[in-house]
Amino acid sequence: MNVLSIPKAALRLPYQVARLPLQLIETQVVSRMHDEAPVRLAYERTLGAIDGAVGRALGDPAAIRRGEALQERSAALTRAVELQEEADRKREQADADLKAKQQQAREDQVAAQREKQQKQAAARKAEEDRKKKAAEQAEQRAAAEKKQADELAAKRKRDAEAEKKAEQAKIDAKEKQAAAPATAELKEAAAKRDEATQKRADANQVEKLAEAEKTQRQNAQS
């Protein structure tokens, strides 16, 4: 037996005895904690470091393995906690991003609906303005066409009246020209009739004078 191994072997028992309170704390307190509780992980990591250091110092393979196992378990669980926390952060961030995207999508949808309604209202107004303008233009064209038609009708009426007057003047001239000989004959007949009347009047006067003279002679003889 190596004489140097005797003191180390002799020291293992005191360490095991000194470790009993730590073992008791681990059994009664730490083991009841959640496997991933930060306090438990810190305790196991510290205890594993102590076991490993003492085991290497005392040449105790069991203590070394126990210490390494505790440290590996603590490191693995710590890493798992970190990964879980990172996953939770990413999930929360993803949820927040999703909610933000959903909110943005809703806002975009509302904005698009509002824009669509505005465009529809603008299109309706433009159509109403176009119809109103077309109606005004049609009314203006109708008024202009009516005015032109009225002016044309008035012109045609004036032309017709002028033509009628001219035609009547021609007819009057022709009638006057045709009636000229008859008028002369009528004048001549009237003159002859007047002359005959005058002659009859003169004859009557002579007859009355003769009758008066006869009467006077007869009265004188009586």
Side-chain angles (χ1 to χ4, degrees), residues 42-175:
Y43 176 82
E44 290 179 350
R45 185 167 55 251
T46 302
L47 184 59
I50 294 173
D51 285 345
V54 172
R56 284 188 291 274
L58 298 179
D60 186 352
I64 293 173
R65 288 193 299 271
R66 187 172 60 249
E68 289 177 348
L70 285 174
Q71 286 182 312
E72 289 176 359
R73 180 179 182 279
S74 176
L77 291 176
T78 299
R79 180 58 179 167
V81 171
E82 292 175 350
L83 292 175
Q84 184 62 42
E85 290 176 350
E86 183 178 1
D88 291 341
R89 285 194 300 272
K90 289 182 178 180
R91 184 175 62 255
E92 291 175 358
Q93 184 63 41
D95 291 341
D97 293 341
L98 178 60
K99 290 180 180 179
K101 289 180 180 180
Q102 290 175 342
Q103 180 64 26
Q104 185 64 42
R106 287 192 293 270
E107 292 176 358
D108 293 342
Q109 184 178 5
V110 172
Q113 184 66 22
R114 187 182 299 111
E115 183 179 2
K116 180 181 179 181
Q117 293 174 351
Q118 291 175 350
K119 288 182 178 180
Q120 290 176 345
R124 286 194 298 269
K125 186 176 183 303
E127 181 64 16
E128 291 175 357
D129 292 342
R130 186 190 66 78
K131 290 181 178 179
K132 182 178 180 181
K133 185 176 181 181
E136 290 176 352
Q137 291 177 346
E139 185 177 356
Q140 291 174 357
R141 285 195 301 269
E145 290 174 357
K146 183 178 183 301
K147 181 180 179 182
Q148 185 177 3
D150 292 343
E151 292 176 351
L152 181 61
K155 183 177 181 302
R156 288 177 177 175
K157 183 178 180 180
R158 290 193 300 270
D159 293 343
E161 290 177 352
E163 184 178 356
K164 182 178 180 181
K165 288 180 180 180
E167 186 66 24
Q168 186 63 42
K170 291 180 180 179
I171 293 172
D172 292 342
K174 288 181 179 179
E175 289 179 351

